[in-house]
Amino acid sequence: MPHWKKYGWVLWCLLAQPFLSFAQEVDSLPPANPALLEEVDLGLTFNEPRTYVPRTALMWSIVPGGGQIYNRRWWKVPLVFSAFSGVFAVLDFNQSNYIRFRNAYQAELAGEEHEFSSRGYDASRLLVFRDQFNKSRQTNYFMLFAVYLLQGVEAYVDTHLRNFDMDEDLSQWQISPQVIPGGIGQSPNIVLQFQYSF
């Protein structure tokens, strides 16, 4: 097949497009009156920046992740829930194993069969495992309290720092040399003066 026949349909589409397009119709609406456009007040106002109150963020953080939502730091909410989920998962693991070894220890003391009888664990070994999981379980309760406290402190500090002025204009600091005249027969003193204006 010749080269020009192969791409002839592309050439035909490009040349026929102005004749085949019907999207450019005349608008049936009359043109707008410019006098009316000047009278319309859209009422757009510019909102002042939001002030964040640290105490309110602390109150919001009673609900896990609430302080982060109040601060509009949406990306921190999944981190808070991930921390709580991780602590709850480890707490559930330790709690369920504590109950398993506690029941096995009680069954061993009563002389009954339990789930660890096939492994040959005696009462002293079951007691060690039970106490180990009990200690880990109690540690996890403190970890849960620490995560809860940490998310509240983070929300409070973040709110406090959002109101902090981080303006790079340092013109309020003025450093200038000063000449203090000396007394009769004394030479003048040159000092460096620091001045901070509010």
Side-chain angles (χ1 to χ4, degrees), residues 50 52 65-80 154-155 157-164 166:
R50 180 178 173 193
Y52 293 90
Q68 287 73 21
I69 291 172
Y70 171 76
N71 290 335
R72 296 185 179 178
R73 304 284 194 196
W74 311 110
W75 63 273
K76 292 181 181 179
V77 175
L79 298 176
V80 170
E154 190 278 329
V157 170
D158 188 34
T159 306
H160 183 71
L161 291 178
R162 285 191 79 162
N163 295 330
F164 187 72
M166 296 188 327

Side-chain angles (χ1 to χ4, degrees), residues 101-114 117 121-127 130:
F101 281 103
R102 183 193 63 192
N103 293 340
Y105 176 69
Q106 291 172 351
E108 180 72 25
L109 290 178
E112 301 171 358
E113 290 290 318
H114 52 81
S117 296
Y121 291 158
D122 61 340
S124 64
R125 189 75 176 150
L126 291 172
L127 181 63
R130 185 200 71 172

